[in-house]
Amino acid sequence: MDSFTYINIFETKGLEYLLLLSFWVLFIYLVRYLSTSDKKRKH
Amino acid sequence: MDRRGFLKSTLIASTAALAGSEAQADETQIPEEMVGVLVDTTRCIGCRACEVACGEQNGLLVPDVLNDGALESHRDTSDKQFMVVNKYETDKGNVFVKKQCMHCYQAGCAAACPTEAMHKNSQGPVTWDGDKCIGCRYCMISCPFDIPKFEYGEWNPKIVKCTLCFDRLEAGKKPACVEACPTDTLMFGSMVKNLEVARHRIYSHPDKYVHQIYGEHEAGGTAYIYLSAVPFDQLGFRTDLGRTPYPEYTREFLYAVPAVLFSVPAFLLGLNALTGNGKSDNEGDRDFDYSDDGEEQ
Amino acid sequence: MNSNTAVAGGSGNTFQFLLQELKPRGPWLTPFNVISIPIILAGLVILVIRFIYGLGSVTNLSQEFPWGLWLGFDVVTGVALAGGAYVITFVVYVLRVEKYYPIVRVTVLNGLLAYMFYGGALLFELGRPWHAANPFIGNSFGFSSVLFLICWHFMIYMVAAFVEFSPVIAEWLHWEKTRKFLKSLTLGAVILGVTLSMLHQSGLGAFFLMAKPKVHPLWWSDFLPILFFVSSIYAGLAMIIFEGTISHRVFKDLIGPEHHHSFEDIMLGLAKGAAITMFVYYVFKALLFIHGKQWSLINDGWGYWYLLEVIGFVLVPAFMFAFGFRNRSLNTIRIASVLALLGIILNRLNVSIITFKWYETVHYYPTWQEIVVTLMVIFSEIWFFRWVVTRMPVLNARH
């Protein structure tokens, strides 16, 4: 039989949290980008 | 034993919810009376007597075994044949493998069927009821073994698949293919006992068999189980199906449905009530009186 | 439009009024008619053949590929594109954002017709459609089936959408009391409709959960229902922009002058919503990609195809929507909506047809008959849509 290999099902968790953080950074930027136009239009 | 409720159940998915995890963890949970077939491919000589018997029994194509040269290609079951025998050239010589419905313990096709036309019977066979079937072919999509076949050339098409000779079982007989087998390749009996026999054969002849019983865990366990001298991927079996019973894949979604149906409308009503307060800018008959407050204020 | 002077007094008058309204109006030999009429007739002939000689006589469906264009496009894709109705009714009636009111009626009508025609297309897709009532009656409730759920949701949602639209019909018939009553049902119908839409949009994704070994791993995921639901939101928004642009030109005369002013604002608002939803959807895809450690799958044809869909038809239009909103550029938004719609079509077809059994050497492709019937469904929907908007007060809400 094959030699024993430990399968870590949480291997990608670090990357996932990294993606989560970058999502929030980008998302806040996107929302700010989209809301400035609102103000510009009103003034 | 509370088998009765389980067997009678009309909800495959909900039984999966109730008994699924046990069944997954321990296959001895399979009821004694559920029957299946053990196929020992090391014994098969490729005579295809089972194919002939199947065709005769079910009024389907009866192959001309001596002359049709069908073993030269790898055939699939079709809308004309419930089962076929294929020949595989391996490093241990030619191996013949019978292919038909596996009669999964937790059948994906039966869970997929919107009308219960595909039905897992308490004795084990998965059968099809033409009076209920709407011909959506979702069973074909959901079957991990691609077994249900459809009559594309008929105005009133049927789903065609092995029934484990349900009628014969009712009459206390064995399936036609098993009875026709001259070499004891096919062994009919209780699923649980078949599994014990299969394990015993591997244990007694550890050099003869690969140490795997195909169907013991595949797709959550099947009524047809296979023994082989060569790895199963060389015999046309899919070895990537996983151990999860297929109805489990939609279980969580279906479980969420009632939860969504009571919580979301309540949430939406609340949201509507919240946004409505202090806003009475519905001008007269602007058709915008979405709730009664427009008219009363 | 309100020139229907045949105001209904008694029921006899109503009948005459209906007869009069049934007559065609406008010129016959328009380019659209010239193209669509032969296709619709050809489609009907094909359907007759299909019902006599079976599905195999006109389609390329096979034992390996039981679902083709009729299910993959008409049903799975068509319903996603009809998602605009539940999004807009949610925004207008639940959140009370009045800005979008002028497009509510036309969007609900579009949604209702899409379900009627695309859901109806399921009937000739089924092998035994004469049993189609079975999931609704008798002892044949397949509670464990996703399709069973979708059948019921389609039916109930159609009723809900019809109730949402019914005040327009009452207005058209000048039934003032009925209209008031129907109007009072709207909020209930909207809430029911939004809930059902959430469930059946995601249900179309749940369709393929049990096809795990058959759909390419880049497209199959435990989260298919959620992916389908999220993408149906922006599919609906993009469809409103796309369809609004067209009907704004074609039915220019029908639209009240006040709506011309709000049109641009509405389109910009929809673009903003689409940009945010698409970005969220994209990150969701990225999360699943990382979680599934799928980078090993990316370096072949299927991988490039996946990247094209996810970047070219999700991320790019998302940024185009954002850019178009910020710069108040309706043209950018229109192009973005076309890209987004292509992305939705691509995604749904990828899951249901294109990557289905990607390992098979012989793959399914639709016959010309299947394409003609699909076009027939689309064209007949447009015909019906045109009939309704030129008669009922859809584009010009009363004011």
Side-chain angles (χ1 to χ4, degrees):
Chain A
M1 288 305 257
D2 297 331
S3 60
F4 176 77
T5 46
Y6 172 64
I7 297 169
N8 181 3
I9 56 171
F10 301 113
E11 209 176 336
T12 57
K13 272 291 168 287
L15 274 173
E16 284 165 36
Y17 290 132
L18 202 64
L19 178 76
L20 184 75
L21 288 176
S22 46
F23 164 76
W24 278 112
V25 172
L26 288 169
F27 190 69
I28 291 167
Y29 180 76
L30 178 73
V31 170
R32 284 174 60 98
Y33 176 79
L34 290 174
S35 57
T36 44
S37 173
D38 267 343
K39 278 178 201 148
K40 223 194 298 174
R41 197 172 57 213
K42 270 169 196 149
H43 291 309
Chain B
M1 280 216 198
D2 186 24
R3 299 291 178 221
R4 197 121 314 205
F6 176 73
L7 301 172
K8 267 183 169 174
S9 168
T10 50
L11 290 173
I12 305 269
S14 75
T15 49
L18 295 169
S21 44
E22 301 162 46
Q24 233 180 311
D26 186 359
E27 65 277 3
T28 54
Q29 289 291 318
I30 293 174
E32 279 291 314
E33 61 267 35
M34 273 211 175
V35 292
V37 175
L38 165 63
V39 185
D40 189 335
T41 59
T42 60
R43 299 184 179 186
C44 184
I45 53 170
C47 70
R48 295 169 66 208
C50 48
E51 263 186 55
V52 174
C54 179
E56 283 167 353
Q57 170 68 32
N58 297 296
L60 299 164
L61 173 79
V62 178
D64 181 4
V65 173
L66 293 176
N67 304 314
D68 64 359
L71 287 176
E72 297 314 308
S73 60
H74 289 166
R75 294 169 299 153
D76 195 1
T77 60
S78 69
D79 55 347
K80 308 251 175 349
Q81 277 185 298
F82 283 171
M83 59 144 296
V84 290
V85 174
N86 282 322
K87 181 178 81 179
Y88 292 90
E89 282 160 18
T90 69
D91 40 6
K92 293 200 178 176
N94 287 341
V95 178
F96 300 95
V97 182
K98 179 176 182 288
K99 181 178 182 180
Q100 75 297 308
C101 175
M102 303 287 282
H103 299 279
C104 304
Y105 179 52
Q106 302 272 349
C109 58
C113 184
T115 59
E116 291 210 302
M118 211 50 107
H119 178 62
K120 176 80 176 171
N121 290 280
S122 55
Q123 302 93 323
V126 179
T127 53
W128 174 82
D129 181 349
D131 289 336
K132 292 180 174 177
C133 178
I134 61 173
C136 66
R137 309 189 292 290
Y138 191 26
C139 48
M140 300 169 74
I141 296 282
S142 304
C143 174
F145 302 99
D146 273 326
I147 288 302
K149 296 288 165 8
F150 183 81
E151 295 178 324
Y152 286 102
E154 298 288 329
W155 73 270
N156 189 16
K158 294 194 286 289
I159 293 285
V160 179
K161 71 177 271 302
C162 163
T163 61
L164 204 64
C165 285
F166 187 57
D167 296 339
R168 288 173 61 94
L169 298 193
E170 298 262 90
K173 289 189 272 188
K174 291 178 182 178
C177 53
V178 177
E179 203 155 272
C181 183
T183 61
D184 274 341
T185 301
L186 304 176
M187 194 184 90
F188 174 79
S190 155
M191 271 174 87
V192 182
K193 291 209 175 106
N194 280 353
L195 209 50
E196 280 167 15
V197 172
R199 287 202 189 108
H200 180 74
R201 285 189 197 167
I202 292 177
Y203 184 75
S204 336
H205 305 278
D207 299 330
K208 185 177 170 191
Y209 295 103
V210 289
H211 291 206
Q212 185 195 352
I213 303 167
Y214 191 92
E216 181 181 11
H217 299 299
E218 275 71 16
T222 58
Y224 256 88
I225 52 176
Y226 288 79
L227 284 173
S228 165
V230 293
F232 284 99
D233 50 358
Q234 293 178 27
L235 299 180
F237 287 95
R238 281 199 81 157
T239 49
D240 58 348
L241 297 176
R243 294 178 164 216
T244 312
Y246 271 60
E248 291 271 328
Y249 286 113
T250 50
R251 177 178 142 204
E252 279 173 28
F253 175 76
L254 290 166
Y255 198 35
V257 168
V260 169
L261 276 175
F262 77 78
S263 60
V264 171
F267 172 72
L268 293 179
L269 269 173
L271 205 59
N272 181 260
L274 272 177
T275 53
N277 282 348
K279 268 183 116 190
S280 56
D281 51 354
N282 310 329
E283 309 135 44
D285 197 28
R286 243 213 93 179
D287 251 11
F288 207 44
D289 37 359
Y290 16 67
S291 62
D292 50 359
D293 58 354
E295 266 155 354
E296 278 164 21
Q297 277 166 10
Chain C
M1 239 324 283
N2 282 348
S3 59
N4 308 321
T5 42
V7 178
S11 54
N13 282 347
T14 308
F15 182 66
Q16 277 184 351
F17 169 70
L18 279 177
L19 270 184
Q20 187 201 327
E21 292 281 79
L22 275 174
K23 282 183 202 147
R25 289 184 192 165
W28 263 96
L29 282 172
T30 59
F32 173 72
N33 287 2
V34 170
I35 297 170
S36 62
I37 291 174
I39 287 184
I40 291 176
L41 293 177
L44 290 175
V45 173
I46 292 167
L47 284 185
V48 170
I49 298 172
R50 172 253 172 276
F51 277 108
I52 296 173
Y53 298 105
L55 274 166
S57 58
V58 292
T59 67
N60 266 347
L61 298 176
S62 61
Q63 307 297 359
E64 286 74 33
F65 295 93
W67 284 357
L69 189 70
W70 288 354
L71 200 120
F73 185 82
D74 297 8
V75 180
V76 177
T77 312
V79 167
L81 298 183
Y86 82 88
V87 179
I88 285 300
T89 51
F90 169 71
V91 171
V92 169
Y93 291 105
V94 178
L95 298 181
R96 304 181 195 239
V97 183
E98 219 178 313
K99 175 176 153 190
Y100 298 104
Y101 183 69
I103 57 165
V104 163
R105 289 180 165 192
V106 68
T107 311
V108 170
L109 175 66
N110 262 316
L112 176 62
L113 293 187
Y115 277 84
M116 277 165 58
F117 281 83
Y118 299 136
L122 199 58
L123 282 181
F124 46 78
E125 216 286 320
L126 294 177
R128 304 159 77 92
W130 32 92
H131 289 163
N134 271 359
F136 304 103
I137 54 158
N139 61 347
S140 304
F141 294 141
F143 294 112
S144 55
S145 170
V146 177
L147 185 60
F148 173 78
L149 191 84
I150 288 180
C151 289
W152 270 89
H153 282 189
F154 274 15
M155 293 305 283
I156 304 174
Y157 183 76
M158 270 193 259
V159 174
F162 185 75
V163 170
E164 287 167 26
F165 186 71
S166 61
V168 181
I169 299 175
E171 197 177 319
W172 171 60
L173 296 168
H174 300 273
W175 292 348
E176 192 50 31
K177 275 188 182 164
T178 320
R179 191 191 72 84
K180 280 229 165 91
F181 168 71
L182 291 171
K183 198 70 208 164
S184 68
L185 300 178
T186 299
L187 181 66
V190 164
I191 286 176
L192 183 65
V194 171
T195 313
L196 291 175
S197 292
M198 276 181 77
L199 286 171
H200 66 238
Q201 294 287 359
S202 47
L204 288 173
F207 251 169
F208 297 94
L209 286 176
M210 275 200 280
K212 187 186 181 189
K214 301 178 193 174
V215 178
H216 192 283
L218 280 171
W219 280 271
W220 190 92
S221 146
D222 290 316
F223 288 90
L224 265 180
I226 296 172
L227 289 175
F228 268 48
F229 170 61
V230 175
S231 54
S232 79
I233 297 175
Y234 75 74
L237 294 175
M239 192 64 192
I240 299 171
I241 296 172
F242 177 72
E243 182 275 328
T245 306
I246 293 174
S247 51
H248 207 68
R249 296 210 176 127
V250 178
F251 303 110
K252 212 187 304 166
D253 310 338
L254 296 175
I255 300 170
E258 73 168 44
H259 296 146
H260 283 294
H261 293 295
S262 53
F263 181 73
E264 193 179 323
D265 272 352
I266 291 174
M267 291 296 137
L268 289 172
L270 296 174
K272 185 176 170 179
I276 291 175
T277 326
M278 290 180 87
F279 184 66
V280 170
Y281 176 76
Y282 175 78
V283 175
F284 208 141
K285 283 286 231 189
L287 179 68
L288 292 173
F289 183 77
I290 290 175
H291 186 80
K293 292 188 270 185
Q294 289 169 334
W295 35 83
S296 56
L297 297 167
I298 212 72
N299 200 16
D300 64 3
W302 292 112
Y304 303 145
W305 184 238
Y306 174 81
L307 288 179
L308 176 75
E309 179 199 312
V310 173
I311 293 175
F313 291 99
V314 178
L315 197 60
V316 169
F319 285 133
M320 284 175 74
F321 274 129
F323 180 82
F325 171 79
R326 173 94 165 209
N327 296 293
R328 300 181 68 83
S329 159
L330 282 187
N331 279 331
T332 314
I333 290 174
R334 280 173 195 138
I335 298 168
S337 75
V338 172
L339 285 182
L341 289 177
L342 287 176
I344 287 293
I345 295 171
L346 205 56
N347 174 257
R348 297 302 195 266
L349 292 184
N350 271 336
V351 174
S352 61
I353 305 175
I354 298 173
T355 77
F356 190 79
K357 295 197 181 167
W358 78 100
Y359 45 79
E360 292 275 348
T361 43
V362 181
H363 204 275
Y364 163 86
Y365 57 90
T367 57
W368 65 266
Q369 291 101 320
E370 283 175 89
I371 295 170
V372 167
V373 170
T374 299
L375 289 175
M376 179 196 87
V377 173
I378 296 171
F379 283 143
S380 40
E381 193 215 338
I382 296 175
W383 269 77
F384 199 81
F385 177 79
R386 189 174 62 174
W387 183 84
V388 173
V389 292
T390 50
R391 280 158 184 79
M392 298 184 195
V394 174
L395 293 163
N396 56 336
R398 288 197 318 177
H399 43 269

